[in-house]
Amino acid sequence: MKTLLVVLAVLAVVGGGTVALVNHLGGWNTLIGKSWAITYEVSAQPADTLADVTYAESPDRNRKETPRTVSEDAPLPWTTEVIINAGEKAHVAGTPKGDQVLTCRILLDGVKELATATGQPGQEVGCEAVTST
């Protein structure tokens, strides 16, 4: 009987500690969340050129956090795959180094087109879409 009481006390402490930790970290909805596989593409005419590319990605697919912005100098055509948490904005933008015409696209699961845009010669182009919850 004494062993059973000790086991129950340990379980109560561990369970209470787990609940306190989850609540401290923002609750279950923060710890577990839906996320979407997003593919960003930026291409140019003429095709072989450099551009400044900026895009959003969620830092952790298992935590609901605001996406961070990443910037890089990239050879075109350029593509990358990221995770965006549900309900957050996916966005990609490209700025040409010269008078190129840039086109951007956002794809869901590498297939379904969520957004596309083509800019003016030498101008920035941007695409954005909010992922469903």
Side-chain angles (χ1 to χ4, degrees):
M1 182 68 156
K2 189 175 186 179
T3 304
L4 178 61
L5 291 176
V6 169
V7 169
L8 289 175
V10 168
L11 288 175
V13 168
V14 169
T18 301
V19 169
L21 179 61
V22 167
N23 286 334
H24 173 72
L25 294 174
W28 291 113
N29 288 337
T30 300
L31 291 178
I32 56 172
K34 269 201 282 189
S35 57
W36 300 101
I38 298 293
T39 301
Y40 295 128
E41 297 177 349
V42 177
S43 58
Q45 291 300 324
D48 295 325
T49 186
L50 284 174
D52 293 320
V53 177
T54 304
Y55 61 95
E57 70 177 350
S58 292
D60 187 339
R61 76 179 315 137
N62 298 314
R63 293 182 59 102
K64 185 157 178 55
E65 297 178 14
T66 302
R68 66 178 173 217
T69 301
V70 178
S71 295
E72 62 184 62
D73 237 7
L76 300 181
W78 172 88
T79 185
T80 193
E81 294 180 6
V82 301
I83 297 298
I84 296 292
N85 294 120
E88 297 291 344
K89 183 177 12 174
H91 69 87
V92 62
T95 303
K97 300 281 187 184
D99 288 335
Q100 296 84 8
V101 174
L102 299 186
T103 299
C104 63
R105 290 191 335 146
I106 299 176
L107 305 171
L108 175 63
D109 294 330
V111 179
K112 183 180 178 186
E113 189 173 84
L114 298 178
T116 187
T118 300
Q120 297 297 315
Q123 299 296 310
E124 180 181 78
V125 66
C127 294
E128 67 179 45
V130 176
T131 58
S132 61
T133 54

